[in-house]
Amino acid sequence: NARATTKTIDWMQETFSCCGVVGTEDWSGANNDSYAYTWIKTHANDVPDSCCKVVTEGCGVGQGLNGTDVTHDKGCLSVAVGFVEGRMVLSWVLLIIFILIEAGSIALAYPLARGECTPCCNTAEEKEGEEIEEEEIEEEKEEGKEKLEENV
């Protein structure tokens, strides 16, 4: 749909403050490999109004050949590449953080998968065993006190 394409191009040029793929010459027809053939047929030496620094009706008329102070001088390709490259660092950092979290989760889950519980999750049998050990220690202490009292 031509209307949707036009809206998309206008949005991109206004949002990224750019004009054409390489520059304003893409809209003028000066570039033989122009990406805007259908525009050029009906708008000789014009650029879309979305190329203007301040967008107003008709601001792109006659601005096509070398660009002026009225239009953005950068092409959208270089701006888009810069935009993506600027976010690549953030993407890599988030990926590394995600990998570290996953590796930590696996490392923490490994003992549980093998049945090796930590003290925080002792079974009832293990707790009973600990209580019996504590009782035995208390009995030994009592026996030791009694022997000391007998010797004194």
Side-chain angles (χ1 to χ4, degrees), residues 17-31:
S17 302
C18 58
C19 186
V21 176
V22 178
T24 56
E25 63 272 7
D26 290 330
W27 295 110
S28 69
N31 181 351

Side-chain angles (χ1 to χ4, degrees), residues 50-141:
S50 59
C51 281
C52 298
K53 292 178 182 174
V54 177
V55 177
T56 57
E57 181 83 28
C59 66
V61 175
Q63 306 296 324
L65 279 176
N66 295 319
T68 64
D69 292 339
V70 175
T71 60
H72 300 294
D73 54 351
K74 294 181 278 182
C76 294
L77 179 63
S78 63
V79 173
V81 167
F83 178 81
V84 170
E85 286 177 348
R87 271 104 184 128
M88 287 303 291
V89 173
L90 176 62
S91 298
W92 280 108
V93 167
L94 292 174
L95 178 65
I96 290 169
I97 290 170
F98 177 76
I99 289 170
L100 290 173
I101 289 170
E102 288 298 313
S105 298
I106 291 169
L108 292 173
Y110 183 73
L112 294 174
R114 293 189 62 204
E116 301 169 2
C117 283
T118 58
C120 68
C121 58
N122 286 344
T123 63
E125 292 174 0
E126 291 172 335
K127 288 182 181 178
E128 279 181 25
E130 289 174 5
E131 290 173 4
I132 292 171
E133 287 177 16
E134 288 177 14
E135 288 175 10
E136 290 174 355
I137 292 171
E138 288 297 320
E139 287 175 8
E140 288 176 7
K141 284 182 184 177

